[in-house]
Amino acid sequence: MRKANFWKFLFFAFICSIVVAGCSNEKVTGSEKGQTDSGKGEASKDKEIVIAVNENFISMDPHNTGDTNSNSVQSSMLEGLLGFDKDGLIMPVLAKEYSVSEDALEYTFELNQGIKFHDGEDFNAEAVKVNIERIINDKSLRLNSRGFSLISSIDILGDYEIKFTIEKAYGPMLTRFGAAKMISPKLIKENSADIPKSPVGTGPFKFVEWVQGDHLTIERFDDYWQKGERVKKITYKPVPENGSRVAMLKTGEASIIYPLPAQNLKELEANKDVVVDKIPSTIAHYVSINTMKEPFNDVRVRQALNYAVDKNAYINVVNSGFGLPLDSIIPSKTVYYVKQGVYEQNIEKAKELLKEAGFENGFTTEIWGNTNSDTMKGMQFIQQQLKEIGIKVEIKSMEEATLSDEIYGAQTPEDTKLQMWYVSWSAYASDITNATKPLFHSESFPPNGSNTAYYKNADVDEWMNAANSTGDTSKQKELYEKIQSTVYKDSPWIFLGVDELLVGTRSDVEGIYVETGGGINVSNANYK
């Protein structure tokens, strides 16, 4: 995020978050956008846009999704009461207006009228209630633990007005309402088992089919409530191999590829049929270290791993120079970020720490990751770097769905076979809770969250709970500074880098952009 946008966000957060003096009883109204005639013009009538991405999709259930690729596809079909603009700031979507009470415990939404789900069901306050009750009542859903478990009552004030009361002040609650996309109440009540594989929402596109590992297709919803010209059909293809994605873009087989491999940047920038965009991101890359398994239960070992890895070399070798070292537990574009410094490569210090921990001759371990080209390159880099301090790393790559089952299928820290995981996390710029609690709170061990380091620190837990329970921004700032400092020293991760996103688009395509969190927005996708 550019500096101006950072301060813009802080101002926004101060005015329109749950700070008492901010939004209390002041309604926020969505802009009237897309009010042009319905888009069934010749340019989009029968055409298809193909989007090639680097990983497979795991689930189409918006209330139980942990990966960016799945969430990205869902966003083309499903919408929330709130959403996020290009800068990651909150904006009204299905809600026409919203307000927050002075004590930050009541959230009231006035809904847009005349909106239909893809199956013909009406969008109204009752539909919202059904969705939020699903999240509250099903504790297996990922969104349950992210603020919605705090909801104590839901009151329908009218056909198009609804109020939520929460038990205690919770800083990122507005962001949570943006993450909770609405599903047809008919689908929830009558066939909820189909939600993960064929969702029904209110978005500009509707679900057609999903052939796991090959493609997922959506088509234009002609009764969409926000008018505009859009392409008839979009097909998403998971293509893990970098060279294959690039070839598809060059031949026109794919209209957009993401991510664009950095090593092909100059070649594609010189191609008159391709437009290359570079987007600063909130995506952090790291290696999660299982702190409950020997020898990783010794902080000296975890710090040694960090000192062994050259972060600048990582950026240059794995990301072809695009990105910055991860110098805190969160990316710099996230609110309340405080720089911690980088674990600069120091092989002698790393060896000294290993010796102190009783591993002078190193040890053998295993790193997991998915099968895409960039992940393989990252794991091989870690393997080479740790070899310098006597640690032998065996690489184990798995398809995304298998990997997810292996990691999140374990019910206790003792059950898991996970030792190290090469992975990334995409957070909302407006939500430091999402960038910390799912990753470092002891309540967030799999399958309840993404604390795959099984990191547990009683002080950090207490500070997170306190920060999430107050609307005092100065108090939050103080607490998150302590959280970042403590976790960074405890080293539950090998801290690697923050991405600069590269995306390649055919020059005859418009209305598609990649968000700072890595999601692909296709709301107005079309051919020029």
Side-chain angles (χ1 to χ4, degrees):
M1 182 183 291
R2 298 283 182 256
K3 187 175 182 181
N5 285 335
F6 177 76
W7 289 112
K8 172 183 173 185
F9 166 73
L10 285 184
F11 177 76
F12 178 91
F14 178 77
I15 298 298
C16 293
S17 173
I18 63 164
V19 182
V20 170
C23 273
S24 58
N25 302 319
E26 179 180 344
K27 292 189 174 182
V28 183
T29 306
S31 60
E32 295 180 1
K33 59 180 180 178
Q35 302 303 313
T36 58
D37 291 336
S38 179
K40 304 177 183 67
E42 293 302 318
S44 60
K45 188 174 182 181
D46 298 312
K47 288 192 174 182
E48 175 184 14
I49 284 176
V50 174
I51 299 175
V53 296
N54 65 338
E55 295 172 8
N56 206 350
F57 319 109
I58 297 175
S59 172
M60 289 298 108
D61 186 342
H63 304 157
N64 199 32
T65 296
D67 68 299
T68 302
N69 265 354
S70 296
N71 192 32
S72 182
V73 179
Q74 293 164 17
S75 295
S76 65
M77 301 177 282
L78 306 156
E79 299 170 305
L81 297 176
L82 306 175
F84 308 93
D85 65 15
K86 283 187 175 183
D87 295 323
L89 303 183
I90 296 168
M91 66 179 188
V93 182
L94 293 177
K96 183 179 179 181
E97 300 175 348
Y98 66 90
S99 62
V100 183
S101 64
E102 289 189 5
D103 59 9
L105 296 179
E106 295 181 354
Y107 293 75
T108 304
F109 297 88
E110 182 181 342
L111 310 179
N112 281 300
Q113 300 184 27
I115 297 175
K116 295 278 189 181
F117 287 93
H118 300 154
D119 60 3
E121 291 288 295
D122 290 327
F123 170 74
N124 51 30
E126 179 61 32
V128 175
K129 185 173 186 285
V130 168
N131 273 265
I132 302 302
E133 284 182 337
R134 176 182 187 245
I135 297 171
I136 294 172
N137 295 331
D138 189 342
K139 292 180 172 55
S140 70
L141 299 177
R142 289 173 185 258
L143 286 188
N144 169 270
S145 62
R146 298 178 185 176
F148 291 99
S149 58
L150 295 175
I151 294 176
S152 57
S153 67
I154 304 175
D155 298 301
I156 293 179
L157 307 180
D159 288 345
Y160 297 96
E161 190 171 8
I162 190 167
K163 182 179 73 174
F164 300 94
T165 303
I166 60 177
E167 296 172 358
K168 58 183 179 181
Y170 180 62
M173 199 67 213
L174 284 176
T175 301
R176 296 296 180 259
F177 282 116
K181 296 178 177 64
M182 298 290 110
I183 305 167
S184 166
K186 181 178 181 181
L187 181 62
I188 292 174
K189 293 175 180 178
E190 298 180 7
N191 208 358
S192 61
D194 278 353
I195 294 173
K197 55 188 177 182
S198 53
V200 177
T202 62
F205 295 90
K206 60 183 179 179
F207 179 83
V208 176
E209 67 172 358
W210 180 10
V211 178
Q212 183 67 257
D214 186 76
H215 70 274
L216 190 152
T217 301
I218 58 177
E219 68 179 14
R220 185 179 62 223
F221 179 49
D222 288 333
D223 292 326
Y224 181 52
W225 62 286
Q226 295 196 73
K227 305 304 180 183
E229 292 193 357
R230 297 176 182 89
V231 72
K232 174 67 175 176
K233 184 166 70 171
I234 298 177
T235 295
Y236 295 85
K237 287 183 173 289
V239 184
E241 207 281 310
N242 284 342
S244 299
R245 287 201 310 282
V246 171
M248 291 173 69
L249 182 65
K250 289 166 67 176
T251 62
E253 183 183 351
S255 305
I256 178 171
I257 65 170
Y258 172 74
L260 182 155
Q263 62 267 29
N264 298 99
L265 178 65
K266 291 184 179 179
E267 169 195 359
L268 293 175
E269 283 182 326
N271 188 322
K272 64 180 177 60
D273 296 322
V274 172
V275 176
V276 174
D277 289 313
K278 304 171 187 175
I279 304 112
S281 85
T282 57
I283 300 175
H285 282 272
Y286 57 95
V287 175
S288 178
I289 307 167
N290 188 337
T291 60
M292 290 196 176
K293 279 196 181 295
E294 293 184 350
F296 303 125
N297 58 345
D298 191 319
V299 67
R300 293 169 295 186
V301 172
R302 302 194 301 268
Q303 289 175 344
L305 302 186
N306 271 287
Y307 283 117
V309 176
D310 186 332
K311 312 309 187 298
N312 289 314
Y314 170 81
I315 299 296
N316 290 326
V317 172
V318 180
N319 281 14
S320 297
F322 294 96
L324 295 169
L326 180 59
D327 56 10
S328 182
I329 67 172
I330 58 175
S332 62
K333 293 168 68 64
T334 311
V335 66
Y336 299 136
Y337 155 85
V338 178
K339 182 176 180 177
Q340 303 301 311
V342 176
Y343 282 99
E344 301 287 353
Q345 188 182 45
N346 188 328
I347 298 298
E348 293 308 311
K349 186 173 183 64
K351 288 181 176 179
E352 180 183 329
L353 285 166
L354 284 182
K355 183 177 180 180
E356 290 176 9
F359 295 95
E360 183 176 4
N361 297 319
F363 54 86
T364 298
T365 188
E366 193 174 72
I367 189 168
W368 291 5
N370 61 36
T371 57
N372 82 57
S373 301
D374 291 331
T375 297
M376 288 300 297
K377 187 189 296 184
M379 290 193 292
Q380 289 164 359
F381 177 83
I382 297 299
Q383 181 185 55
Q384 175 268 319
Q385 294 277 289
L386 297 187
K387 183 179 179 181
E388 296 298 310
I389 60 170
I391 297 176
K392 182 181 178 182
V393 178
E394 297 175 355
I395 292 173
K396 185 176 180 180
S397 63
M398 292 173 263
E399 293 294 334
E400 192 70 38
T402 303
L403 182 63
S404 181
D405 287 343
E406 284 283 341
I407 292 171
Y408 293 102
Q411 296 301 307
T412 68
E414 292 73 29
D415 292 335
T416 185
K417 299 175 183 177
L418 177 66
Q419 298 175 54
M420 296 196 299
W421 182 19
Y422 179 86
V423 68
S424 63
W425 181 265
S426 175
Y428 298 105
S430 61
D431 184 2
I432 190 171
T433 301
N434 179 248
T436 53
K437 187 175 180 181
L439 301 170
F440 303 112
H441 199 290
S442 63
E443 293 178 356
S444 299
F445 292 173
N448 299 321
S450 296
N451 183 357
T452 54
Y454 294 95
Y455 174 73
K456 185 174 184 178
N457 182 305
D459 288 335
V460 170
D461 283 355
E462 183 180 342
W463 295 333
M464 285 187 189
N465 293 339
N468 291 333
S469 302
T470 180
D472 185 337
T473 55
S474 62
K475 184 65 174 176
Q476 288 176 335
K477 182 177 182 295
E478 176 188 336
L479 290 166
Y480 279 114
E481 185 171 346
K482 291 198 290 187
I483 290 167
Q484 289 172 76
S485 175
T486 301
V487 177
Y488 203 75
K489 290 173 184 173
D490 284 346
S491 300
W493 294 353
I494 302 176
F495 299 95
L496 296 175
V498 180
D499 282 354
E500 182 176 37
L501 308 180
L502 301 178
V503 55
T505 308
R506 297 287 295 183
S507 57
D508 59 347
V509 170
E510 64 181 1
I512 301 177
Y513 64 90
V514 173
E515 300 161 343
T516 58
I520 304 172
N521 188 305
V522 299
S523 296
N524 296 299
N526 205 357
Y527 282 94
K528 295 179 180 177

